[in-house]
């Protein structure tokens, strides 16, 4: 063998032997945007406005939600899953929230792996986050259900924000839908903070008479639909 060719082959072999494979669990995929340790809880303030489609009456709802990861189990797809128990306190103007007992509202399911976070809400599975987290990444949030394609995207990542008085470092926003016309407005978005999880959720789904797209929603008469906002109050482990 040519001396120089021999040296080249030897170098390739040596470099191959020294090459290290980085385990997937040491990469920063962004999974800390949805901590999945048992006992984690987040409490939210929820405010929603419902505009009746027939009478155009307006109904206001105000309450608190507590979401807690309480149990590990194997789901019907034979995958590791977490039970997300959701508790509720209804607002009472003559009582503090601290004096009102939590009652179970519903139970959801969470699946977290190195690819995504899926949450089963009222028996409908949504792909909430994908990994690795990257600004501009796009995916179908409805890929695991039958509701039809729904494009989600990371609008921004690693923002420092204060939400409902809570400091949330390294926050991302998932834009699920943002579409306004002369007769409707749909805006669905969620925000997640590293080390916490979901810190903000907004749903605006309104139909209305023909109106300019710059008219504030509160100034539009004869609306029908819902405005829903969910904001973090506190979080921790118990």
């Amino acid at each position: 063998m040519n001396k120089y060719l021999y040296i080249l082959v030897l170098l390739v072999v040596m470099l191959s032997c020294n090459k290290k494979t980085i385990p997937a669990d040491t990469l920063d995929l962004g999974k800390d945007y949805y901590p999945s340790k048992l006992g984690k809880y987040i409490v939210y303030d929820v405010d929603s406005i419902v505009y009746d489609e027939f009478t155009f009456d307006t109904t206001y709802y105000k309450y608190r939600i507590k979401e807690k990861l309480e149990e590990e189990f194997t789901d019907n797809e034979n995958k590791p899953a977490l039970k997300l128990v959701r508790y509720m306190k209804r607002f009472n103007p003559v009582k503090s929230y601290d004096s009102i007992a939590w009652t179970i509202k519903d139970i959801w399911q969470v699946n977290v792996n190195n690819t995504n976070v899926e949450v089963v809400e009222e028996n409908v599975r949504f792909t909430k986050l994908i990994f690795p987290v990257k600004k501009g990444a796009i995916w179908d949030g409805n890929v695991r259900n039958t509701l039809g394609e729904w494009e989600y995207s990371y609008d921004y990542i690693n923002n420092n924000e204060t939400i409902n008085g809570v400091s949330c470092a390294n926050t991302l926003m998932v834009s699920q839908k943002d579409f306004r016309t002369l007769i409707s407005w749909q805006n669905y978005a969620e925000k997640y903070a590293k080390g916490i999880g979901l810190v903000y959720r907004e749903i605006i789904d309104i139909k209305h008479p023909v109106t300019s797209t710059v008219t504030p929603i509160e100034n539009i008469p004869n609306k029908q639909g819902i405005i829903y906002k969910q904001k973090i109050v506190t979080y921790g482990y118990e």
Side-chain angles (χ1 to χ4, degrees):
M1 178 183 293
N2 181 284
K3 178 174 67 176
Y4 298 107
L5 180 59
Y6 173 78
I7 293 173
L8 178 61
V9 171
L10 183 61
L11 286 171
V12 170
V13 171
M14 291 175 64
L15 289 172
S16 299
C17 292
N18 289 330
K19 184 177 180 181
K20 295 182 180 180
T21 300
I22 302 176
D25 58 2
T26 65
L27 298 174
D28 184 8
L29 301 175
K31 293 176 68 175
D32 199 31
Y33 279 107
Y34 200 101
S36 54
K37 183 179 178 181
L38 286 183
K40 186 198 80 172
Y41 71 87
I42 308 177
V43 177
Y44 305 94
D45 277 332
V46 177
D47 293 277
S48 65
I49 307 172
V50 178
Y51 302 99
D52 189 275
E53 64 178 312
F54 301 109
T55 65
F56 303 114
D57 289 338
T58 302
T59 305
Y60 297 88
Y61 297 93
K62 185 178 180 66
Y63 51 97
R64 276 194 174 168
I65 289 288
K66 178 180 180 180
E67 297 186 348
K68 183 179 177 183
L69 296 174
E70 293 197 1
E71 183 182 327
E72 296 175 333
F73 66 99
T74 301
D75 66 14
N76 57 9
E77 296 181 351
N78 203 32
K79 295 178 181 179
L82 298 164
K83 181 184 292 185
L84 181 66
V85 182
R86 305 179 76 239
Y87 301 88
M88 183 174 69
K89 292 182 179 184
R90 296 186 184 278
F91 174 74
N92 187 325
V94 298
K95 291 184 178 180
S96 69
Y97 276 123
D98 289 341
S99 66
I100 301 172
W102 291 108
T103 58
I104 292 181
K105 183 178 185 295
D106 42 29
I107 297 175
W108 291 356
Q109 174 183 320
V110 176
N111 295 82
V112 181
N113 55 48
N114 287 334
T115 303
N116 58 40
V117 174
E118 295 178 349
V119 180
V120 181
E121 303 177 355
E122 313 302 339
N123 296 318
V124 180
R125 184 181 293 268
F126 298 95
T127 304
K128 296 290 189 173
L129 304 172
I130 61 168
F131 303 127
V133 168
K134 183 179 180 180
K135 182 180 178 181
I138 298 172
W139 69 98
D140 181 4
N142 284 352
V143 69
R144 296 295 313 280
N145 62 52
T146 59
L147 298 179
E149 185 175 354
W150 195 333
E151 186 177 282
Y152 288 16
S153 64
Y154 288 130
D155 188 74
Y156 59 75
I157 62 174
N158 294 328
N159 273 21
N160 293 328
E161 301 184 34
T162 298
I163 299 174
N164 204 23
V166 179
S167 178
C168 301
N170 298 313
T171 301
L172 66 76
M173 186 174 88
V174 179
S175 179
Q176 300 171 337
K177 184 176 289 189
D178 187 5
F179 186 65
R180 187 167 186 182
T181 71
L182 295 176
I183 59 171
S184 66
W185 186 19
Q186 291 181 306
N187 184 50
Y188 289 65
E190 293 181 343
K191 295 181 181 182
Y192 296 79
K194 276 190 175 180
I196 303 176
L198 178 70
V199 293
Y200 180 84
R201 186 177 192 181
E202 176 177 289
I203 298 172
I204 299 175
D205 202 325
I206 298 293
K207 295 180 181 178
H208 52 75
V210 177
T211 307
S212 167
T213 57
V214 297
T215 302
I217 198 70
E218 61 270 17
N219 295 343
I220 301 175
N222 298 334
K223 298 182 290 290
Q224 52 183 287
I226 185 172
I227 297 177
Y228 174 98
K229 294 186 179 182
Q230 177 178 328
K231 303 175 184 179
I232 186 171
V233 174
T234 188
Y235 65 97
Y237 290 84
E238 58 183 21

Short mmCIF file of all heavy atoms in Angstrom, two decimals, residues 42-47 62-65 97 161-168 191 199-201 229-235:
data_model
loop_
_atom_site.label_atom_id
_atom_site.label_comp_id
_atom_site.label_asym_id
_atom_site.label_seq_id
_atom_site.Cartn_x
_atom_site.Cartn_y
_atom_site.Cartn_z
N ILE A 42 -50.06 23.54 38.72
CA ILE A 42 -50.15 24.95 38.33
C ILE A 42 -51.58 25.40 38.59
O ILE A 42 -52.54 24.70 38.25
CB ILE A 42 -49.81 25.16 36.85
CG1 ILE A 42 -48.46 24.52 36.49
CG2 ILE A 42 -49.79 26.66 36.51
CD1 ILE A 42 -48.09 24.63 35.01
N VAL A 43 -51.71 26.57 39.19
CA VAL A 43 -53.03 27.17 39.45
C VAL A 43 -53.22 28.33 38.49
O VAL A 43 -52.29 29.12 38.26
CB VAL A 43 -53.14 27.65 40.91
CG1 VAL A 43 -54.49 28.34 41.14
CG2 VAL A 43 -52.97 26.47 41.88
N TYR A 44 -54.42 28.44 37.93
CA TYR A 44 -54.72 29.48 36.95
C TYR A 44 -55.96 30.27 37.33
O TYR A 44 -56.91 29.73 37.91
CB TYR A 44 -55.00 28.86 35.57
CG TYR A 44 -53.94 27.96 35.02
CD1 TYR A 44 -54.00 26.58 35.22
CD2 TYR A 44 -52.88 28.46 34.27
CE1 TYR A 44 -53.03 25.73 34.70
CE2 TYR A 44 -51.90 27.63 33.75
CZ TYR A 44 -51.98 26.26 33.97
OH TYR A 44 -51.03 25.42 33.45
N ASP A 45 -55.96 31.55 36.98
CA ASP A 45 -57.18 32.34 36.92
C ASP A 45 -57.80 32.15 35.54
O ASP A 45 -57.08 32.22 34.52
CB ASP A 45 -56.88 33.83 37.11
CG ASP A 45 -56.76 34.23 38.56
OD1 ASP A 45 -57.38 33.57 39.42
OD2 ASP A 45 -56.03 35.21 38.84
N VAL A 46 -59.10 31.92 35.51
CA VAL A 46 -59.80 31.76 34.23
C VAL A 46 -60.93 32.77 34.16
O VAL A 46 -61.73 32.90 35.09
CB VAL A 46 -60.37 30.34 34.07
CG1 VAL A 46 -61.15 30.23 32.76
CG2 VAL A 46 -59.25 29.30 34.10
N ASP A 47 -60.97 33.51 33.06
CA ASP A 47 -62.06 34.44 32.78
C ASP A 47 -62.58 34.14 31.38
O ASP A 47 -61.78 34.03 30.44
CB ASP A 47 -61.58 35.88 32.85
CG ASP A 47 -61.19 36.30 34.25
OD1 ASP A 47 -62.10 36.68 35.02
OD2 ASP A 47 -59.99 36.24 34.58
N LYS A 62 -66.06 33.27 35.88
CA LYS A 62 -64.78 33.52 36.54
C LYS A 62 -64.55 32.39 37.54
O LYS A 62 -65.41 32.09 38.36
CB LYS A 62 -64.81 34.87 37.26
CG LYS A 62 -63.49 35.29 37.89
CD LYS A 62 -63.63 36.68 38.52
CE LYS A 62 -62.34 37.16 39.16
NZ LYS A 62 -61.29 37.39 38.15
N TYR A 63 -63.37 31.76 37.47
CA TYR A 63 -63.06 30.67 38.38
C TYR A 63 -61.56 30.39 38.37
O TYR A 63 -60.80 31.03 37.62
CB TYR A 63 -63.84 29.40 38.01
CG TYR A 63 -63.74 28.96 36.56
CD1 TYR A 63 -62.82 27.99 36.16
CD2 TYR A 63 -64.58 29.49 35.60
CE1 TYR A 63 -62.74 27.59 34.84
CE2 TYR A 63 -64.52 29.10 34.27
CZ TYR A 63 -63.60 28.14 33.90
OH TYR A 63 -63.51 27.74 32.58
N ARG A 64 -61.14 29.47 39.21
CA ARG A 64 -59.75 29.04 39.23
C ARG A 64 -59.65 27.55 38.87
O ARG A 64 -60.53 26.77 39.23
CB ARG A 64 -59.09 29.29 40.60
CG ARG A 64 -58.57 30.70 40.72
CD ARG A 64 -57.64 30.89 41.88
NE ARG A 64 -57.08 32.24 41.82
CZ ARG A 64 -56.40 32.83 42.79
NH1 ARG A 64 -56.19 32.16 43.94
NH2 ARG A 64 -55.93 34.05 42.65
N ILE A 65 -58.57 27.23 38.17
CA ILE A 65 -58.28 25.85 37.81
C ILE A 65 -56.93 25.47 38.40
O ILE A 65 -55.98 26.25 38.36
CB ILE A 65 -58.25 25.69 36.27
CG1 ILE A 65 -59.65 25.81 35.68
CG2 ILE A 65 -57.61 24.35 35.87
CD1 ILE A 65 -60.54 24.62 35.97
N TYR A 97 -60.72 32.92 47.47
CA TYR A 97 -60.46 31.60 46.89
C TYR A 97 -59.88 30.64 47.93
O TYR A 97 -60.14 29.43 47.91
CB TYR A 97 -59.50 31.72 45.70
CG TYR A 97 -60.17 32.09 44.39
CD1 TYR A 97 -59.78 33.21 43.68
CD2 TYR A 97 -61.16 31.27 43.85
CE1 TYR A 97 -60.38 33.54 42.47
CE2 TYR A 97 -61.77 31.59 42.64
CZ TYR A 97 -61.37 32.72 41.95
OH TYR A 97 -61.97 33.04 40.76
N GLU A 161 -41.17 37.14 30.40
CA GLU A 161 -42.46 37.79 30.50
C GLU A 161 -42.96 37.75 31.93
O GLU A 161 -42.58 36.88 32.72
CB GLU A 161 -43.49 37.10 29.59
CG GLU A 161 -43.11 37.08 28.13
CD GLU A 161 -44.20 36.48 27.26
OE1 GLU A 161 -45.38 36.67 27.59
OE2 GLU A 161 -43.87 35.82 26.27
N THR A 162 -43.85 38.69 32.24
CA THR A 162 -44.59 38.65 33.50
C THR A 162 -46.05 38.45 33.15
O THR A 162 -46.65 39.26 32.44
CB THR A 162 -44.41 39.94 34.30
OG1 THR A 162 -43.02 40.10 34.63
CG2 THR A 162 -45.21 39.91 35.58
N ILE A 163 -46.61 37.34 33.62
CA ILE A 163 -47.99 36.98 33.30
C ILE A 163 -48.79 36.91 34.59
O ILE A 163 -48.48 36.12 35.49
CB ILE A 163 -48.05 35.63 32.55
CG1 ILE A 163 -47.28 35.74 31.23
CG2 ILE A 163 -49.50 35.19 32.31
CD1 ILE A 163 -47.14 34.42 30.49
N ASN A 164 -49.78 37.78 34.70
CA ASN A 164 -50.64 37.81 35.89
C ASN A 164 -49.81 38.00 37.17
O ASN A 164 -50.11 37.42 38.21
CB ASN A 164 -51.47 36.52 35.98
CG ASN A 164 -52.74 36.69 36.78
OD1 ASN A 164 -53.26 37.79 36.93
ND2 ASN A 164 -53.25 35.59 37.30
N GLY A 165 -48.73 38.78 37.06
CA GLY A 165 -47.87 39.05 38.20
C GLY A 165 -46.81 38.01 38.46
O GLY A 165 -46.01 38.16 39.39
N VAL A 166 -46.76 36.95 37.66
CA VAL A 166 -45.78 35.87 37.83
C VAL A 166 -44.66 36.05 36.81
O VAL A 166 -44.91 36.13 35.60
CB VAL A 166 -46.43 34.48 37.66
CG1 VAL A 166 -45.39 33.38 37.83
CG2 VAL A 166 -47.57 34.31 38.66
N SER A 167 -43.42 36.08 37.29
CA SER A 167 -42.27 36.21 36.40
C SER A 167 -42.01 34.87 35.71
O SER A 167 -41.82 33.85 36.37
CB SER A 167 -41.04 36.64 37.20
OG SER A 167 -39.91 36.73 36.36
N CYS A 168 -42.01 34.89 34.39
CA CYS A 168 -41.84 33.67 33.60
C CYS A 168 -40.65 33.85 32.65
O CYS A 168 -40.76 34.50 31.60
CB CYS A 168 -43.09 33.36 32.79
SG CYS A 168 -44.58 33.14 33.79
N LYS A 191 -48.95 29.79 25.86
CA LYS A 191 -47.58 30.14 26.23
C LYS A 191 -47.08 29.14 27.27
O LYS A 191 -47.82 28.76 28.19
CB LYS A 191 -47.51 31.57 26.78
CG LYS A 191 -47.86 32.64 25.77
CD LYS A 191 -47.74 34.04 26.38
CE LYS A 191 -48.12 35.11 25.37
NZ LYS A 191 -47.96 36.49 25.93
N VAL A 199 -48.42 28.50 30.92
CA VAL A 199 -48.61 29.67 31.79
C VAL A 199 -49.72 30.59 31.27
O VAL A 199 -50.18 31.48 32.01
CB VAL A 199 -47.30 30.48 31.94
CG1 VAL A 199 -46.27 29.67 32.71
CG2 VAL A 199 -46.74 30.91 30.57
N TYR A 200 -50.16 30.39 30.03
CA TYR A 200 -51.19 31.27 29.47
C TYR A 200 -51.89 30.55 28.32
O TYR A 200 -51.26 29.86 27.51
CB TYR A 200 -50.55 32.56 28.94
CG TYR A 200 -51.54 33.54 28.34
CD1 TYR A 200 -52.25 34.42 29.15
CD2 TYR A 200 -51.75 33.60 26.96
CE1 TYR A 200 -53.15 35.35 28.60
CE2 TYR A 200 -52.64 34.50 26.40
CZ TYR A 200 -53.34 35.37 27.21
OH TYR A 200 -54.22 36.26 26.67
N ARG A 201 -53.20 30.73 28.27
CA ARG A 201 -53.99 30.17 27.18
C ARG A 201 -55.09 31.15 26.80
O ARG A 201 -55.76 31.71 27.68
CB ARG A 201 -54.61 28.83 27.60
CG ARG A 201 -55.33 28.09 26.47
CD ARG A 201 -55.85 26.75 26.97
NE ARG A 201 -56.27 25.90 25.88
CZ ARG A 201 -56.78 24.68 26.03
NH1 ARG A 201 -56.92 24.17 27.24
NH2 ARG A 201 -57.13 23.97 24.98
N LYS A 229 -59.67 33.27 28.63
CA LYS A 229 -58.29 33.54 28.99
C LYS A 229 -57.94 32.82 30.29
O LYS A 229 -58.66 32.91 31.27
CB LYS A 229 -58.04 35.04 29.12
CG LYS A 229 -58.18 35.78 27.79
CD LYS A 229 -57.79 37.24 27.89
CE LYS A 229 -57.93 37.92 26.53
NZ LYS A 229 -57.51 39.35 26.57
N GLN A 230 -56.82 32.11 30.25
CA GLN A 230 -56.34 31.30 31.38
C GLN A 230 -54.92 31.76 31.71
O GLN A 230 -54.03 31.65 30.87
CB GLN A 230 -56.38 29.83 31.00
CG GLN A 230 -55.84 28.87 32.05
CD GLN A 230 -55.97 27.42 31.59
OE1 GLN A 230 -56.90 27.06 30.86
NE2 GLN A 230 -55.05 26.57 31.99
N LYS A 231 -54.71 32.26 32.94
CA LYS A 231 -53.42 32.85 33.30
C LYS A 231 -52.91 32.22 34.60
O LYS A 231 -53.66 32.03 35.55
CB LYS A 231 -53.56 34.36 33.50
CG LYS A 231 -54.11 35.12 32.30
CD LYS A 231 -54.33 36.59 32.65
CE LYS A 231 -54.96 37.36 31.50
NZ LYS A 231 -55.20 38.78 31.86
N ILE A 232 -51.61 31.96 34.63
CA ILE A 232 -51.00 31.36 35.80
C ILE A 232 -51.14 32.25 37.03
O ILE A 232 -51.08 33.48 36.95
CB ILE A 232 -49.50 31.05 35.54
CG1 ILE A 232 -48.90 30.29 36.72
CG2 ILE A 232 -48.72 32.32 35.23
CD1 ILE A 232 -47.50 29.75 36.46
N VAL A 233 -51.36 31.61 38.19
CA VAL A 233 -51.40 32.30 39.48
C VAL A 233 -50.20 31.89 40.31
O VAL A 233 -49.46 32.71 40.87
CB VAL A 233 -52.69 31.97 40.26
CG1 VAL A 233 -52.66 32.58 41.66
CG2 VAL A 233 -53.91 32.46 39.50
N THR A 234 -49.96 30.57 40.39
CA THR A 234 -48.83 30.04 41.15
C THR A 234 -48.56 28.62 40.65
O THR A 234 -49.35 28.03 39.92
CB THR A 234 -49.11 30.04 42.66
OG1 THR A 234 -47.92 29.67 43.37
CG2 THR A 234 -50.23 29.07 43.03
N TYR A 235 -47.44 28.04 41.10
CA TYR A 235 -47.07 26.67 40.68
C TYR A 235 -46.13 26.08 41.72
O TYR A 235 -45.59 26.80 42.58
CB TYR A 235 -46.41 26.68 39.30
CG TYR A 235 -45.08 27.40 39.25
CD1 TYR A 235 -43.87 26.70 39.36
CD2 TYR A 235 -45.01 28.79 39.13
CE1 TYR A 235 -42.66 27.36 39.33
CE2 TYR A 235 -43.80 29.45 39.10
CZ TYR A 235 -42.62 28.73 39.20
OH TYR A 235 -41.41 29.40 39.19
#
